[in-house]
Short mmCIF file of all heavy atoms in Angstrom, two decimals:
data_model
loop_
_atom_site.label_atom_id
_atom_site.label_comp_id
_atom_site.label_asym_id
_atom_site.label_seq_id
_atom_site.Cartn_x
_atom_site.Cartn_y
_atom_site.Cartn_z
N MET R 120 0.84 -1.19 0.00
CA MET R 120 0.00 0.00 0.00
C MET R 120 0.88 1.25 0.00
O MET R 120 1.82 1.36 0.77
CB MET R 120 -0.90 -0.01 1.23
CG MET R 120 -1.84 1.16 1.27
SD MET R 120 -3.08 0.95 2.57
CE MET R 120 -2.51 2.16 3.73
N HIS R 121 0.56 2.19 -0.87
CA HIS R 121 1.31 3.44 -0.95
C HIS R 121 0.83 4.41 0.12
O HIS R 121 -0.36 4.63 0.28
CB HIS R 121 1.12 4.07 -2.33
CG HIS R 121 1.75 5.41 -2.46
ND1 HIS R 121 3.12 5.58 -2.51
CD2 HIS R 121 1.23 6.65 -2.51
CE1 HIS R 121 3.38 6.86 -2.60
NE2 HIS R 121 2.25 7.53 -2.61
N ARG R 122 1.76 4.96 0.87
CA ARG R 122 1.41 5.94 1.90
C ARG R 122 1.85 7.32 1.43
O ARG R 122 2.97 7.49 0.98
CB ARG R 122 2.12 5.62 3.21
CG ARG R 122 1.72 4.28 3.77
CD ARG R 122 2.44 4.06 5.04
NE ARG R 122 1.43 3.91 6.05
CZ ARG R 122 1.67 3.83 7.33
NH1 ARG R 122 2.89 3.91 7.78
NH2 ARG R 122 0.70 3.68 8.19
N PRO R 123 0.96 8.31 1.53
CA PRO R 123 1.36 9.67 1.15
C PRO R 123 2.43 10.20 2.11
O PRO R 123 2.47 9.80 3.29
CB PRO R 123 0.06 10.47 1.28
CG PRO R 123 -0.83 9.66 2.14
CD PRO R 123 -0.40 8.23 2.02
N PRO R 124 3.31 11.07 1.62
CA PRO R 124 4.35 11.63 2.50
C PRO R 124 3.74 12.49 3.60
O PRO R 124 2.69 13.09 3.42
CB PRO R 124 5.21 12.47 1.56
CG PRO R 124 4.39 12.67 0.34
CD PRO R 124 3.38 11.58 0.28
N ARG R 125 4.39 12.51 4.74
CA ARG R 125 3.93 13.36 5.84
C ARG R 125 4.34 14.80 5.57
O ARG R 125 5.39 15.07 5.03
CB ARG R 125 4.55 12.89 7.15
CG ARG R 125 4.02 11.55 7.57
CD ARG R 125 4.66 11.13 8.87
NE ARG R 125 3.97 9.97 9.36
CZ ARG R 125 3.35 9.91 10.51
NH1 ARG R 125 3.40 10.92 11.34
NH2 ARG R 125 2.72 8.83 10.89
N HIS R 126 3.48 15.69 6.00
CA HIS R 126 3.79 17.11 5.85
C HIS R 126 3.06 17.90 6.94
O HIS R 126 2.14 17.39 7.57
CB HIS R 126 3.37 17.62 4.47
CG HIS R 126 1.89 17.56 4.23
ND1 HIS R 126 1.27 16.41 3.78
CD2 HIS R 126 0.92 18.47 4.40
CE1 HIS R 126 -0.03 16.65 3.68
NE2 HIS R 126 -0.26 17.89 4.05
N ARG R 127 3.52 19.10 7.14
CA ARG R 127 2.88 20.01 8.08
C ARG R 127 2.51 21.28 7.34
O ARG R 127 3.31 21.81 6.58
CB ARG R 127 3.83 20.32 9.23
CG ARG R 127 3.09 20.92 10.41
CD ARG R 127 4.01 21.11 11.60
NE ARG R 127 4.10 22.56 11.76
CZ ARG R 127 5.19 23.21 12.09
NH1 ARG R 127 6.31 22.58 12.30
NH2 ARG R 127 5.18 24.51 12.22
N ARG R 128 1.33 21.77 7.54
CA ARG R 128 0.84 22.97 6.88
C ARG R 128 1.45 24.21 7.54
O ARG R 128 1.56 24.28 8.76
CB ARG R 128 -0.68 23.02 7.03
CG ARG R 128 -1.36 24.11 6.29
CD ARG R 128 -2.84 24.02 6.46
NE ARG R 128 -3.31 22.72 6.01
CZ ARG R 128 -4.48 22.50 5.47
NH1 ARG R 128 -5.35 23.49 5.34
NH2 ARG R 128 -4.84 21.30 5.08
N HIS R 129 1.85 25.17 6.70
CA HIS R 129 2.43 26.43 7.18
C HIS R 129 1.66 27.59 6.56
O HIS R 129 1.16 27.48 5.44
CB HIS R 129 3.90 26.56 6.76
CG HIS R 129 4.76 25.45 7.25
ND1 HIS R 129 5.36 25.46 8.49
CD2 HIS R 129 5.11 24.28 6.68
CE1 HIS R 129 6.06 24.36 8.65
NE2 HIS R 129 5.92 23.61 7.57
N HIS R 130 1.61 28.70 7.28
CA HIS R 130 0.98 29.92 6.77
C HIS R 130 2.02 31.02 6.73
O HIS R 130 2.59 31.36 7.77
CB HIS R 130 -0.21 30.33 7.65
CG HIS R 130 -1.34 29.36 7.57
ND1 HIS R 130 -1.84 28.75 8.70
CD2 HIS R 130 -2.05 28.89 6.53
CE1 HIS R 130 -2.83 27.95 8.33
NE2 HIS R 130 -2.96 28.01 7.02
N ASP R 131 2.25 31.55 5.55
CA ASP R 131 3.16 32.68 5.36
C ASP R 131 2.32 33.95 5.44
O ASP R 131 1.54 34.24 4.54
CB ASP R 131 3.85 32.57 4.01
CG ASP R 131 4.86 33.67 3.77
OD1 ASP R 131 4.64 34.81 4.25
OD2 ASP R 131 5.86 33.41 3.09
N THR R 132 2.46 34.69 6.54
CA THR R 132 1.61 35.86 6.77
C THR R 132 1.99 37.04 5.89
O THR R 132 1.17 37.94 5.69
CB THR R 132 1.64 36.28 8.25
OG1 THR R 132 2.98 36.55 8.62
CG2 THR R 132 1.07 35.18 9.13
N VAL R 133 3.20 37.05 5.35
CA VAL R 133 3.62 38.14 4.45
C VAL R 133 3.07 37.90 3.04
O VAL R 133 2.47 38.78 2.44
CB VAL R 133 5.16 38.28 4.43
CG1 VAL R 133 5.59 39.32 3.42
CG2 VAL R 133 5.68 38.62 5.82
N ALA R 134 3.27 36.71 2.53
CA ALA R 134 2.79 36.38 1.18
C ALA R 134 1.31 36.00 1.17
O ALA R 134 0.71 35.89 0.10
CB ALA R 134 3.61 35.21 0.61
N VAL R 135 0.73 35.80 2.34
CA VAL R 135 -0.63 35.31 2.50
C VAL R 135 -0.80 34.04 1.66
O VAL R 135 -1.59 33.96 0.73
CB VAL R 135 -1.69 36.37 2.14
CG1 VAL R 135 -3.08 35.85 2.47
CG2 VAL R 135 -1.44 37.67 2.87
N ALA R 136 0.02 33.06 2.00
CA ALA R 136 0.01 31.80 1.28
C ALA R 136 0.11 30.63 2.26
O ALA R 136 0.76 30.73 3.29
CB ALA R 136 1.19 31.75 0.31
N THR R 137 -0.54 29.56 1.90
CA THR R 137 -0.45 28.33 2.66
C THR R 137 0.43 27.38 1.87
O THR R 137 0.33 27.30 0.65
CB THR R 137 -1.84 27.71 2.84
OG1 THR R 137 -2.69 28.68 3.46
CG2 THR R 137 -1.79 26.47 3.70
N TYR R 138 1.31 26.67 2.57
CA TYR R 138 2.18 25.73 1.88
C TYR R 138 2.55 24.58 2.80
O TYR R 138 2.38 24.64 4.01
CB TYR R 138 3.45 26.43 1.38
CG TYR R 138 4.36 26.92 2.48
CD1 TYR R 138 5.41 26.13 2.94
CD2 TYR R 138 4.16 28.16 3.09
CE1 TYR R 138 6.24 26.57 3.96
CE2 TYR R 138 4.98 28.60 4.10
CZ TYR R 138 6.02 27.81 4.53
OH TYR R 138 6.83 28.24 5.55
N CYS R 139 3.06 23.52 2.20
CA CYS R 139 3.60 22.41 2.96
C CYS R 139 4.78 21.83 2.19
O CYS R 139 4.89 22.00 0.98
CB CYS R 139 2.55 21.34 3.25
SG CYS R 139 1.93 20.48 1.80
N TYR R 140 5.67 21.19 2.92
CA TYR R 140 6.86 20.58 2.35
C TYR R 140 7.07 19.25 3.05
O TYR R 140 6.97 19.18 4.27
CB TYR R 140 8.06 21.51 2.56
CG TYR R 140 9.34 20.99 1.97
CD1 TYR R 140 9.47 20.83 0.60
CD2 TYR R 140 10.41 20.64 2.78
CE1 TYR R 140 10.63 20.34 0.05
CE2 TYR R 140 11.58 20.15 2.24
CZ TYR R 140 11.69 20.00 0.87
OH TYR R 140 12.83 19.52 0.33
N THR R 141 7.36 18.22 2.28
CA THR R 141 7.45 16.89 2.86
C THR R 141 8.84 16.56 3.39
O THR R 141 9.05 15.45 3.88
CB THR R 141 7.04 15.81 1.84
OG1 THR R 141 7.92 15.87 0.71
CG2 THR R 141 5.60 15.99 1.41
N GLY R 142 9.77 17.49 3.32
CA GLY R 142 11.09 17.26 3.91
C GLY R 142 12.18 17.13 2.86
O GLY R 142 11.96 17.32 1.67
N THR R 143 13.36 16.75 3.31
CA THR R 143 14.53 16.65 2.45
C THR R 143 14.22 15.82 1.21
O THR R 143 13.71 14.70 1.30
CB THR R 143 15.70 16.01 3.22
OG1 THR R 143 15.90 16.78 4.41
CG2 THR R 143 16.96 16.00 2.39
N ASN R 144 14.53 16.40 0.05
CA ASN R 144 14.26 15.76 -1.25
C ASN R 144 12.79 15.43 -1.45
O ASN R 144 12.44 14.54 -2.22
CB ASN R 144 15.10 14.49 -1.43
CG ASN R 144 16.57 14.79 -1.46
OD1 ASN R 144 16.99 15.78 -2.06
ND2 ASN R 144 17.36 13.99 -0.79
N GLY R 145 11.94 16.15 -0.75
CA GLY R 145 10.51 15.89 -0.83
C GLY R 145 9.80 16.79 -1.81
O GLY R 145 10.39 17.33 -2.73
N GLN R 146 8.55 16.96 -1.58
CA GLN R 146 7.71 17.79 -2.44
C GLN R 146 7.26 19.02 -1.68
O GLN R 146 7.09 18.99 -0.46
CB GLN R 146 6.49 17.00 -2.90
CG GLN R 146 6.85 15.82 -3.77
CD GLN R 146 5.61 15.04 -4.16
OE1 GLN R 146 4.56 15.10 -3.51
NE2 GLN R 146 5.73 14.29 -5.24
N TRP R 147 7.02 20.09 -2.42
CA TRP R 147 6.56 21.36 -1.88
C TRP R 147 5.28 21.73 -2.59
O TRP R 147 5.17 21.60 -3.81
CB TRP R 147 7.63 22.42 -2.11
CG TRP R 147 7.30 23.77 -1.59
CD1 TRP R 147 7.55 24.25 -0.34
CD2 TRP R 147 6.67 24.84 -2.30
NE1 TRP R 147 7.11 25.53 -0.22
CE2 TRP R 147 6.57 25.93 -1.42
CE3 TRP R 147 6.18 24.99 -3.59
CZ2 TRP R 147 6.00 27.13 -1.79
CZ3 TRP R 147 5.60 26.19 -3.96
CH2 TRP R 147 5.52 27.24 -3.05
N TRP R 148 4.27 22.16 -1.85
CA TRP R 148 2.99 22.59 -2.42
C TRP R 148 2.61 23.95 -1.84
O TRP R 148 2.83 24.22 -0.67
CB TRP R 148 1.85 21.65 -2.05
CG TRP R 148 1.92 20.28 -2.59
CD1 TRP R 148 1.66 19.86 -3.86
CD2 TRP R 148 2.26 19.11 -1.86
NE1 TRP R 148 1.81 18.52 -3.96
CE2 TRP R 148 2.19 18.02 -2.74
CE3 TRP R 148 2.64 18.87 -0.54
CZ2 TRP R 148 2.45 16.73 -2.35
CZ3 TRP R 148 2.90 17.58 -0.15
CH2 TRP R 148 2.80 16.53 -1.05
N SER R 149 1.98 24.74 -2.66
CA SER R 149 1.34 25.98 -2.22
C SER R 149 -0.12 25.87 -2.64
O SER R 149 -0.41 25.42 -3.75
CB SER R 149 2.00 27.19 -2.87
OG SER R 149 1.36 28.36 -2.45
N PHE R 150 -1.01 26.25 -1.76
CA PHE R 150 -2.43 26.08 -2.03
C PHE R 150 -3.22 27.01 -1.14
O PHE R 150 -2.69 27.61 -0.22
CB PHE R 150 -2.86 24.63 -1.80
CG PHE R 150 -2.47 24.10 -0.43
CD1 PHE R 150 -3.34 24.21 0.64
CD2 PHE R 150 -1.22 23.53 -0.23
CE1 PHE R 150 -2.97 23.74 1.90
CE2 PHE R 150 -0.84 23.06 1.02
CZ PHE R 150 -1.72 23.16 2.08
N ASP R 151 -4.50 27.16 -1.42
CA ASP R 151 -5.38 27.94 -0.55
C ASP R 151 -6.09 27.01 0.42
O ASP R 151 -6.45 25.88 0.09
CB ASP R 151 -6.41 28.71 -1.37
CG ASP R 151 -5.83 29.96 -1.99
OD1 ASP R 151 -5.09 30.67 -1.29
OD2 ASP R 151 -6.12 30.23 -3.16
N ASP R 152 -6.27 27.51 1.62
CA ASP R 152 -7.09 26.85 2.62
C ASP R 152 -8.01 27.91 3.21
O ASP R 152 -8.03 29.05 2.74
CB ASP R 152 -6.23 26.14 3.67
CG ASP R 152 -5.37 27.08 4.51
OD1 ASP R 152 -5.39 28.30 4.27
OD2 ASP R 152 -4.66 26.59 5.39
N ALA R 153 -8.80 27.55 4.21
CA ALA R 153 -9.75 28.51 4.79
C ALA R 153 -9.03 29.75 5.32
O ALA R 153 -9.54 30.87 5.20
CB ALA R 153 -10.57 27.84 5.89
N TRP R 154 -7.83 29.59 5.90
CA TRP R 154 -7.07 30.73 6.42
C TRP R 154 -6.71 31.70 5.30
O TRP R 154 -6.94 32.90 5.42
CB TRP R 154 -5.80 30.24 7.12
CG TRP R 154 -4.91 31.36 7.56
CD1 TRP R 154 -5.00 32.07 8.72
CD2 TRP R 154 -3.81 31.93 6.84
NE1 TRP R 154 -4.02 33.04 8.76
CE2 TRP R 154 -3.28 32.96 7.61
CE3 TRP R 154 -3.23 31.65 5.61
CZ2 TRP R 154 -2.20 33.72 7.20
CZ3 TRP R 154 -2.15 32.41 5.20
CH2 TRP R 154 -1.64 33.44 6.00
N SER R 155 -6.12 31.21 4.21
CA SER R 155 -5.70 32.10 3.13
C SER R 155 -6.89 32.73 2.43
O SER R 155 -6.84 33.89 2.03
CB SER R 155 -4.78 31.38 2.14
OG SER R 155 -5.45 30.31 1.51
N ILE R 156 -7.98 31.99 2.29
CA ILE R 156 -9.18 32.56 1.68
C ILE R 156 -9.73 33.68 2.55
O ILE R 156 -10.15 34.73 2.05
CB ILE R 156 -10.23 31.47 1.41
CG1 ILE R 156 -9.75 30.59 0.24
CG2 ILE R 156 -11.60 32.08 1.11
CD1 ILE R 156 -10.63 29.41 -0.05
N GLN R 157 -9.72 33.50 3.86
CA GLN R 157 -10.18 34.56 4.76
C GLN R 157 -9.33 35.81 4.57
O GLN R 157 -9.86 36.92 4.46
CB GLN R 157 -10.10 34.11 6.21
CG GLN R 157 -10.46 35.22 7.18
CD GLN R 157 -10.08 34.89 8.63
OE1 GLN R 157 -9.65 33.78 8.93
NE2 GLN R 157 -10.23 35.85 9.50
N LYS R 158 -8.01 35.66 4.53
CA LYS R 158 -7.12 36.82 4.36
C LYS R 158 -7.35 37.49 3.02
O LYS R 158 -7.35 38.72 2.91
CB LYS R 158 -5.66 36.39 4.50
CG LYS R 158 -5.30 35.82 5.86
CD LYS R 158 -5.49 36.86 6.93
CE LYS R 158 -5.10 36.33 8.29
NZ LYS R 158 -5.45 37.24 9.36
N LYS R 159 -7.52 36.71 1.97
CA LYS R 159 -7.72 37.27 0.63
C LYS R 159 -9.07 37.97 0.50
O LYS R 159 -9.16 39.01 -0.15
CB LYS R 159 -7.55 36.18 -0.42
CG LYS R 159 -6.10 35.73 -0.51
CD LYS R 159 -5.92 34.55 -1.43
CE LYS R 159 -4.46 34.12 -1.44
NZ LYS R 159 -4.19 33.02 -2.36
N THR R 160 -10.11 37.41 1.12
CA THR R 160 -11.41 38.09 1.06
C THR R 160 -11.41 39.37 1.90
O THR R 160 -12.08 40.34 1.55
CB THR R 160 -12.57 37.16 1.48
OG1 THR R 160 -12.31 36.62 2.78
CG2 THR R 160 -12.76 36.03 0.48
N GLU R 161 -10.64 39.39 2.98
CA GLU R 161 -10.48 40.64 3.74
C GLU R 161 -9.84 41.71 2.86
O GLU R 161 -10.26 42.87 2.88
CB GLU R 161 -9.61 40.41 4.98
CG GLU R 161 -10.30 39.64 6.08
CD GLU R 161 -9.36 39.25 7.22
OE1 GLU R 161 -8.16 39.62 7.19
OE2 GLU R 161 -9.82 38.54 8.14
N TYR R 162 -8.86 41.35 2.08
CA TYR R 162 -8.20 42.28 1.16
C TYR R 162 -9.18 42.77 0.09
O TYR R 162 -9.25 43.97 -0.20
CB TYR R 162 -6.99 41.60 0.51
CG TYR R 162 -6.26 42.48 -0.47
CD1 TYR R 162 -5.27 43.34 -0.04
CD2 TYR R 162 -6.56 42.44 -1.84
CE1 TYR R 162 -4.58 44.16 -0.93
CE2 TYR R 162 -5.89 43.26 -2.73
CZ TYR R 162 -4.91 44.11 -2.28
OH TYR R 162 -4.25 44.90 -3.18
N ILE R 163 -9.94 41.85 -0.49
CA ILE R 163 -10.92 42.20 -1.52
C ILE R 163 -11.90 43.24 -0.99
O ILE R 163 -12.18 44.25 -1.63
CB ILE R 163 -11.68 40.94 -2.00
CG1 ILE R 163 -10.75 40.07 -2.86
CG2 ILE R 163 -12.95 41.30 -2.76
CD1 ILE R 163 -11.31 38.69 -3.16
N LYS R 164 -12.40 43.00 0.22
CA LYS R 164 -13.37 43.94 0.81
C LYS R 164 -12.72 45.26 1.19
O LYS R 164 -13.30 46.33 0.97
CB LYS R 164 -14.04 43.29 2.01
CG LYS R 164 -14.99 42.16 1.58
CD LYS R 164 -15.47 41.32 2.71
CE LYS R 164 -16.41 42.05 3.61
NZ LYS R 164 -16.97 41.22 4.68
N ALA R 165 -11.51 45.22 1.74
CA ALA R 165 -10.82 46.45 2.15
C ALA R 165 -10.52 47.36 0.96
O ALA R 165 -10.54 48.58 1.09
CB ALA R 165 -9.52 46.11 2.88
N LYS R 166 -10.26 46.78 -0.19
CA LYS R 166 -9.94 47.55 -1.40
C LYS R 166 -11.17 47.90 -2.22
O LYS R 166 -11.06 48.57 -3.24
CB LYS R 166 -8.95 46.78 -2.28
CG LYS R 166 -7.61 46.53 -1.62
CD LYS R 166 -6.89 47.83 -1.38
CE LYS R 166 -5.52 47.59 -0.77
NZ LYS R 166 -4.81 48.82 -0.51
N GLY R 167 -12.34 47.44 -1.78
CA GLY R 167 -13.57 47.73 -2.51
C GLY R 167 -13.64 47.02 -3.86
O GLY R 167 -14.31 47.50 -4.77
N LEU R 168 -12.96 45.88 -3.98
CA LEU R 168 -12.99 45.13 -5.24
C LEU R 168 -14.31 44.39 -5.36
O LEU R 168 -15.02 44.18 -4.38
CB LEU R 168 -11.81 44.15 -5.28
CG LEU R 168 -10.43 44.80 -5.13
CD1 LEU R 168 -9.35 43.73 -5.09
CD2 LEU R 168 -10.18 45.77 -6.28
N LEU R 169 -14.65 43.99 -6.55
CA LEU R 169 -15.95 43.38 -6.80
C LEU R 169 -15.95 41.86 -6.78
O LEU R 169 -16.98 41.24 -6.98
CB LEU R 169 -16.51 43.88 -8.14
CG LEU R 169 -16.70 45.40 -8.20
CD1 LEU R 169 -17.18 45.81 -9.59
CD2 LEU R 169 -17.67 45.88 -7.15
N GLY R 170 -14.82 41.24 -6.53
CA GLY R 170 -14.77 39.79 -6.48
C GLY R 170 -13.36 39.28 -6.66
O GLY R 170 -12.40 40.04 -6.64
N GLY R 171 -13.24 37.99 -6.85
CA GLY R 171 -11.95 37.35 -7.03
C GLY R 171 -12.08 36.23 -8.04
O GLY R 171 -13.17 35.92 -8.51
N MET R 172 -10.97 35.61 -8.39
CA MET R 172 -10.94 34.54 -9.37
C MET R 172 -10.51 33.24 -8.70
O MET R 172 -9.59 33.23 -7.89
CB MET R 172 -9.95 34.90 -10.48
CG MET R 172 -10.04 34.05 -11.72
SD MET R 172 -9.38 32.41 -11.57
CE MET R 172 -7.77 32.52 -12.18
N ILE R 173 -11.19 32.18 -9.04
CA ILE R 173 -10.84 30.84 -8.52
C ILE R 173 -10.42 29.99 -9.71
O ILE R 173 -11.14 29.91 -10.71
CB ILE R 173 -12.05 30.20 -7.82
CG1 ILE R 173 -12.46 31.04 -6.63
CG2 ILE R 173 -11.73 28.77 -7.42
CD1 ILE R 173 -13.76 30.63 -6.00
N TRP R 174 -9.27 29.36 -9.59
CA TRP R 174 -8.76 28.54 -10.70
C TRP R 174 -9.42 27.16 -10.70
O TRP R 174 -9.94 26.73 -11.71
CB TRP R 174 -7.24 28.43 -10.59
CG TRP R 174 -6.65 27.57 -11.65
CD1 TRP R 174 -6.18 26.30 -11.52
CD2 TRP R 174 -6.49 27.91 -13.02
NE1 TRP R 174 -5.73 25.82 -12.71
CE2 TRP R 174 -5.91 26.80 -13.67
CE3 TRP R 174 -6.78 29.03 -13.79
CZ2 TRP R 174 -5.60 26.79 -15.02
CZ3 TRP R 174 -6.47 29.03 -15.13
CH2 TRP R 174 -5.89 27.92 -15.73
N GLU R 175 -9.39 26.47 -9.58
CA GLU R 175 -9.87 25.09 -9.58
C GLU R 175 -10.17 24.66 -8.14
O GLU R 175 -9.36 24.85 -7.26
CB GLU R 175 -8.77 24.21 -10.18
CG GLU R 175 -9.20 22.86 -10.69
CD GLU R 175 -9.27 21.81 -9.61
OE1 GLU R 175 -8.50 21.85 -8.66
OE2 GLU R 175 -10.14 20.94 -9.73
N MET R 176 -11.34 24.08 -7.93
CA MET R 176 -11.72 23.65 -6.58
C MET R 176 -12.40 22.28 -6.60
O MET R 176 -13.25 22.00 -5.77
CB MET R 176 -12.64 24.69 -5.94
CG MET R 176 -11.91 25.96 -5.57
SD MET R 176 -12.92 27.25 -4.83
CE MET R 176 -13.57 26.52 -3.36
N SER R 177 -12.00 21.41 -7.52
CA SER R 177 -12.69 20.12 -7.64
C SER R 177 -12.50 19.23 -6.41
O SER R 177 -13.33 18.36 -6.15
CB SER R 177 -12.21 19.37 -8.89
OG SER R 177 -10.84 19.04 -8.78
N GLY R 178 -11.44 19.43 -5.64
CA GLY R 178 -11.22 18.62 -4.45
C GLY R 178 -11.84 19.20 -3.19
O GLY R 178 -11.72 18.62 -2.11
N ASP R 179 -12.54 20.32 -3.32
CA ASP R 179 -13.12 20.97 -2.15
C ASP R 179 -14.28 20.16 -1.60
O ASP R 179 -15.16 19.73 -2.34
CB ASP R 179 -13.59 22.39 -2.52
CG ASP R 179 -14.19 23.14 -1.35
OD1 ASP R 179 -13.77 22.89 -0.20
OD2 ASP R 179 -15.08 23.98 -1.58
N THR R 180 -14.30 19.99 -0.31
CA THR R 180 -15.41 19.28 0.35
C THR R 180 -16.48 20.24 0.85
O THR R 180 -17.39 19.84 1.56
CB THR R 180 -14.88 18.46 1.55
OG1 THR R 180 -14.25 19.37 2.48
CG2 THR R 180 -13.88 17.41 1.10
N GLY R 181 -16.34 21.51 0.50
CA GLY R 181 -17.25 22.55 0.95
C GLY R 181 -16.59 23.54 1.89
O GLY R 181 -17.11 24.63 2.11
N VAL R 182 -15.44 23.19 2.43
CA VAL R 182 -14.74 24.06 3.37
C VAL R 182 -14.28 25.35 2.69
O VAL R 182 -14.47 26.45 3.22
CB VAL R 182 -13.52 23.32 3.99
CG1 VAL R 182 -12.67 24.25 4.82
CG2 VAL R 182 -13.99 22.14 4.82
N LEU R 183 -13.70 25.23 1.50
CA LEU R 183 -13.18 26.41 0.80
C LEU R 183 -14.30 27.31 0.30
O LEU R 183 -14.24 28.53 0.42
CB LEU R 183 -12.27 25.99 -0.34
CG LEU R 183 -11.07 25.15 0.06
CD1 LEU R 183 -10.25 24.77 -1.17
CD2 LEU R 183 -10.21 25.85 1.09
N MET R 184 -15.33 26.70 -0.29
CA MET R 184 -16.45 27.50 -0.80
C MET R 184 -17.17 28.20 0.34
O MET R 184 -17.59 29.35 0.21
CB MET R 184 -17.41 26.62 -1.59
CG MET R 184 -18.43 27.42 -2.37
SD MET R 184 -17.71 28.62 -3.54
CE MET R 184 -17.17 27.54 -4.84
N THR R 185 -17.29 27.55 1.48
CA THR R 185 -17.90 28.17 2.65
C THR R 185 -17.06 29.34 3.14
O THR R 185 -17.59 30.40 3.46
CB THR R 185 -18.09 27.13 3.78
OG1 THR R 185 -18.99 26.11 3.30
CG2 THR R 185 -18.67 27.77 5.03
N ALA R 186 -15.73 29.16 3.18
CA ALA R 186 -14.83 30.25 3.60
C ALA R 186 -14.95 31.43 2.64
O ALA R 186 -14.99 32.59 3.06
CB ALA R 186 -13.40 29.76 3.67
N LEU R 187 -15.05 31.14 1.35
CA LEU R 187 -15.19 32.21 0.35
C LEU R 187 -16.52 32.93 0.51
O LEU R 187 -16.58 34.16 0.53
CB LEU R 187 -15.06 31.61 -1.05
CG LEU R 187 -15.13 32.57 -2.21
CD1 LEU R 187 -13.99 33.56 -2.15
CD2 LEU R 187 -15.10 31.80 -3.52
N ASP R 188 -17.58 32.17 0.66
CA ASP R 188 -18.92 32.75 0.82
C ASP R 188 -18.97 33.62 2.09
O ASP R 188 -19.44 34.76 2.05
CB ASP R 188 -19.96 31.64 0.89
CG ASP R 188 -21.37 32.18 1.01
OD1 ASP R 188 -21.77 33.01 0.17
OD2 ASP R 188 -22.08 31.76 1.94
N ASN R 189 -18.48 33.09 3.20
CA ASN R 189 -18.48 33.85 4.45
C ASN R 189 -17.60 35.08 4.36
O ASN R 189 -17.96 36.15 4.87
CB ASN R 189 -18.00 32.98 5.62
CG ASN R 189 -19.01 31.90 5.98
OD1 ASN R 189 -20.18 32.00 5.68
ND2 ASN R 189 -18.52 30.86 6.63
N GLY R 190 -16.46 34.96 3.70
CA GLY R 190 -15.54 36.08 3.61
C GLY R 190 -16.04 37.22 2.76
O GLY R 190 -15.71 38.38 3.00
N LEU R 191 -16.85 36.93 1.75
CA LEU R 191 -17.35 37.98 0.86
C LEU R 191 -18.68 38.57 1.30
O LEU R 191 -19.17 39.50 0.69
CB LEU R 191 -17.46 37.44 -0.57
CG LEU R 191 -16.12 37.13 -1.24
CD1 LEU R 191 -16.36 36.51 -2.62
CD2 LEU R 191 -15.25 38.36 -1.34
N ARG R 192 -19.25 38.07 2.37
CA ARG R 192 -20.54 38.62 2.86
C ARG R 192 -20.34 39.98 3.48
O ARG R 192 -19.39 40.33 4.01
CB ARG R 192 -21.15 37.68 3.89
CG ARG R 192 -21.73 36.47 3.23
CD ARG R 192 -22.40 35.59 4.28
NE ARG R 192 -22.80 34.37 3.65
CZ ARG R 192 -24.04 34.13 3.24
NH1 ARG R 192 -25.00 34.98 3.43
NH2 ARG R 192 -24.35 32.99 2.64
#
């Protein structure tokens, strides 16, 4: 059985990005989670923008769309 690599989620408060890294010679990912969506929707509202763009959310279980909906209210 194949086991996915272990990783820990990190939040970069300057870049407003979520990322994880699986360790030496491992893999690195950057992605949005509820935290980053909250920060980005705060920016959208603070700047008076009319919305944002989403590239792909096929793996979302509803957590991301809920964060987006709540953040833009």
Side-chain angles (χ1 to χ4, degrees):
M120 182 170 108
H121 175 71
R122 298 180 120 187
R125 292 180 170 239
H126 65 275
R127 197 175 113 219
R128 186 178 303 212
H129 302 273
H130 293 123
D131 183 327
T132 58
V133 175
V135 186
T137 304
Y138 66 94
C139 66
Y140 182 65
T141 61
T143 306
N144 296 320
Q146 296 178 338
W147 181 88
W148 295 283
S149 179
F150 53 91
D151 281 317
D152 64 359
W154 174 85
S155 62
I156 288 175
Q157 175 193 354
K158 298 297 182 188
K159 291 174 182 183
T160 55
E161 287 172 3
Y162 179 86
I163 288 169
K164 289 169 70 176
K166 297 295 182 181
L168 302 176
L169 300 177
M172 193 286 264
I173 298 170
W174 178 255
E175 200 277 328
M176 289 179 60
S177 64
D179 181 31
T180 60
V182 172
L183 301 179
M184 191 57 75
T185 298
L187 182 62
D188 182 53
N189 290 338
L191 292 176
R192 285 183 187 260

